[in-house]
Every structure is written in C-alpha cells, then in structure tokens.
C-alpha cells in the first residue's frame, strides 16, 4: 500500500471521431413505375389518339357524316378527355393516367384545329382565328403542365406552339407578328421551366426559336 501513489492521474476522455460529411441523397429512378405505369399510360394515350384519327379518316372515306359534324365530334372528344384528366387529377390517386389524358386531349385539339384549317378549309377557321385558337391550346397546355406537374404536357404544348407558325403559314412575311409570338412563347416556356425546375425546356426553346 505504501508503494501506491497518493493521487491517481485523471482519466482523459477518448477523442470523438470526426463527423462524416452529409451524403447527397440522389433520388433513384423508379424504372419499374416508369415502364409499368407511365409507359402503359402513354401508350394508351397514343392509341386513343390514333383510334380517333382513324375513325375520322374512316368516316371521311365512306362519307358517313358531314365534315362539320366530324370536326365537332373531334372537339368534343378532345375537350372531354382534357376535362376528364383535370378532374381525375383532383383525386390524386392516378397521376400518370390524368397526365396522359390531358396530353391526349391537347394533341386531339391541335389535330382537329389544324384539320379544320388545312384539310376542310372551313370559312370560320381563317388564319387569325386558327392562330388564336392554337395559341390558346398552347397556353392551356403550359398551365396544366404547371398545375399537374406534367412534363409530357409541357413538351407537347411547346411542340405545338413552335409548329403553329409553320402549319398556318400564309406565305406572306410578317416579322413583327412572328417574332412577337415567338417571344411570348419563349417567355411562357421560361416561366414553366423556372416554376417546375425543368431547365432543359429553355434549351429546347432555344432550338425551337432557331428553327
């Protein structure tokens, strides 16, 4: 006992390990959902559009109904599919199906409007009314893309917007009208890309503007 020191040295705490830097969590792509749910939904929407197009062509070849009635039915179906997609999105259980219906409705409205102008040459569908109608469809597509977080609707609206001056060209140069419309279209695309962080839309807008 006499050999022991009178006071033991204090026990020092062990040093704590340095904390690991936070890891960046990269969201994994759910390929199963994309290929299984969204893939089949997009294919179904395309099949619906092609079915309507072939039905109109069949009625045209066999003269079953008048051209005005065909186009009226096309507008009703397009608006019905579009409204159905918006109503379905409120339930929140079928996002892929609702986005597909909205995209299909936008595509049908573009096609029917173009057919009224370029195929049937209806008197009401002059250059300016048809242009305003297709611009309205484009604006509706952008609004739905933001509201439903539907990228495919935004892309379809962008394609339709840039193709509108090409499809409705009268052969007369109008630089102020053309570039004014393109400027408004680009501004809408920029707003959509900033709102939903789809920054690739700005690059596609630059390509469309150059085209």
């Amino acid at each position: 006992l006499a050999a022991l020191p009178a006071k033991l040295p204090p026990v020092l705490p062990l040093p704590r390990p340095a904390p690991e830097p936070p890891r960046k969590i990269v969201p994994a792509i759910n390929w199963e959902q994309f290929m299984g749910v969204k893939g089949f939904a997009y294919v179904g929407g395309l099949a619906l559009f092609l079915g309507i197009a072939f039905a109109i062509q069949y009625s045209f070849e066999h003269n079953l109904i008048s051209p005005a009635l065909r186009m009226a039915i096309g507008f009703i179906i397009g608006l019905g599919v579009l409204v159905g997609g918006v109503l379905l999105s409120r339930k929140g259980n079928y996002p892929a199906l609702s986005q597909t219906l909205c995209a299909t409705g936008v595509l049908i409205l573009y096609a029917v409007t173009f057919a009224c102008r370029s195929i049937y040459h209806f008197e009401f569908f002059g250059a300016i009314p048809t242009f305003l109608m297709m611009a309205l469809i484009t604006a509706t597509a952008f609004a739905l893309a933001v509201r439903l977080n539907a990228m495919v609707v935004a892309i379809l609206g962008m394609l339709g917007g840039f193709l509108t001056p090409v499809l409705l060209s009268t052969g007369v140069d109008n630089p102020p009208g053309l570039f004014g419309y393109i400027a408004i279209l680009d501004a809408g695309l920029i707003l959509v890309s900033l709102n939903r962080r789809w920054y690739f839309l700005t690059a596609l807008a630059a390509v469309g503007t150059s085209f």
Side-chain angles (χ1 to χ4, degrees), residues 28-100:
I29 301 175
N30 193 340
W31 290 105
E32 182 179 358
Q33 181 186 12
F34 180 79
M35 298 300 295
V37 179
K38 291 187 177 181
F40 281 112
Y42 294 156
V43 171
L46 180 61
L48 176 60
F49 170 74
L50 293 177
I52 295 173
F54 286 135
I56 293 176
Q57 181 184 6
Y58 181 84
S59 66
F60 175 77
E61 293 176 351
H62 294 79
N63 199 20
L64 299 179
I65 53 179
S66 63
L69 186 57
R70 296 170 203 157
M71 296 298 98
I73 294 175
F75 276 118
I76 292 173
I77 293 176
L79 289 174
V81 172
L82 191 65
V83 173
V86 173
L87 295 177
L88 189 62
S89 67
R90 295 182 178 180
K91 296 183 178 181
N93 297 328
Y94 308 98
L97 181 58
S98 63
Q99 294 177 13
T100 303

Side-chain angles (χ1 to χ4, degrees), residues 97-197:
L97 181 58
S98 63
Q99 294 177 13
T100 303
L101 290 177
C102 289
T104 305
V106 169
L107 198 59
I108 292 173
L109 292 177
Y110 272 132
V112 175
T113 304
F114 174 73
C116 290
R117 164 71 178 172
S118 301
I119 297 178
Y120 295 107
H121 306 286
F122 291 143
E123 184 178 358
F124 173 77
F125 288 86
I128 294 179
T130 307
F131 176 81
L132 293 177
M133 186 171 294
M134 296 189 78
L136 178 62
I137 297 172
T138 301
T140 303
F142 286 169
L144 289 176
V146 173
R147 184 179 184 276
L148 304 179
N149 194 21
M151 187 185 302
V152 64
V153 179
I155 294 175
L156 285 177
M158 179 193 64
L159 292 176
F162 280 114
L163 287 176
T164 294
V166 180
L167 297 176
L168 303 181
S169 176
T170 59
V172 179
D173 291 337
N174 184 12
L178 173 63
F179 292 110
Y181 167 76
I182 294 298
I184 296 174
L185 179 61
D186 285 339
L189 279 171
I190 292 173
L191 290 177
V192 173
S193 64
L194 292 177
N195 186 280
R196 284 298 177 183
R197 298 183 179 180

